[in-house]
Amino acid sequence: MSAVTHEAATEPVLATDDTYARFLNAEDGRLAERLGSFVQPDGTTLFTLWAPNATHCALLLGEDPSRAQPLPMDRGQAGVWCLEAQAPVGTHYCFAITGADGETRLK
């Protein structure tokens, strides 16, 4: 479980098809700097997650994930999933990630 922090928003996550290889080979660390929660100027929070093998990802807000309404995330290039939501600083969150095996895990 993580909590939204008051971080300045970074530029949008831009990933290409070879982002995965560059990231794993430590040739491009920018992706890691753009994952997590980022408060936007309009007060919403941008949530980003790198899960290239996931078939579905959802954001769960609140201290008890079992009581949270799953908010489906959008899959972008190279397996970066994104969602903008109303989540003020201090909001607890986690991700429900469904893998290729069909199992959903909370992270």
Side-chain angles (χ1 to χ4, degrees), residues 4 36-40 42-47 83-89:
V4 174
S37 62
F38 302 93
V39 177
Q40 303 297 293
D42 66 0
T44 62
T45 300
L46 174 65
F47 294 89
L83 177 68
E84 214 167 298
Q86 294 293 329
V89 172

Side-chain angles (χ1 to χ4, degrees), residues 26-39:
E27 296 168 3
D28 186 351
R30 292 178 296 154
L31 182 60
E33 296 168 5
R34 297 179 183 157
L35 299 175
S37 62
F38 302 93
V39 177

Side-chain angles (χ1 to χ4, degrees), residues 27-78:
E27 296 168 3
D28 186 351
R30 292 178 296 154
L31 182 60
E33 296 168 5
R34 297 179 183 157
L35 299 175
S37 62
F38 302 93
V39 177
Q40 303 297 293
D42 66 0
T44 62
T45 300
L46 174 65
F47 294 89
T48 58
L49 167 71
W50 186 49
N53 297 319
T55 60
H56 182 266
C57 291
L59 174 68
L60 304 174
L61 296 174
E63 291 187 32
D64 183 357
S66 68
R67 298 181 63 168
Q69 175 69 36
L71 303 172
M73 300 179 76
D74 296 319
R75 188 178 202 278
Q77 292 183 357

Side-chain angles (χ1 to χ4, degrees), residues 3-44:
V4 174
T5 59
H6 189 72
E7 288 186 53
T10 62
E11 61 188 82
V13 176
L14 299 175
T16 61
D17 289 336
D18 67 344
T19 298
Y20 179 74
R22 289 194 336 250
F23 181 70
L24 288 179
N25 291 324
E27 296 168 3
D28 186 351
R30 292 178 296 154
L31 182 60
E33 296 168 5
R34 297 179 183 157
L35 299 175
S37 62
F38 302 93
V39 177
Q40 303 297 293
D42 66 0
T44 62

Side-chain angles (χ1 to χ4, degrees), residues 86-106:
Q86 294 293 329
V89 172
T91 301
H92 289 80
Y93 70 93
C94 69
F95 299 109
I97 304 165
T98 304
D101 61 0
E103 294 290 321
T104 299
R105 296 163 181 86
L106 299 183

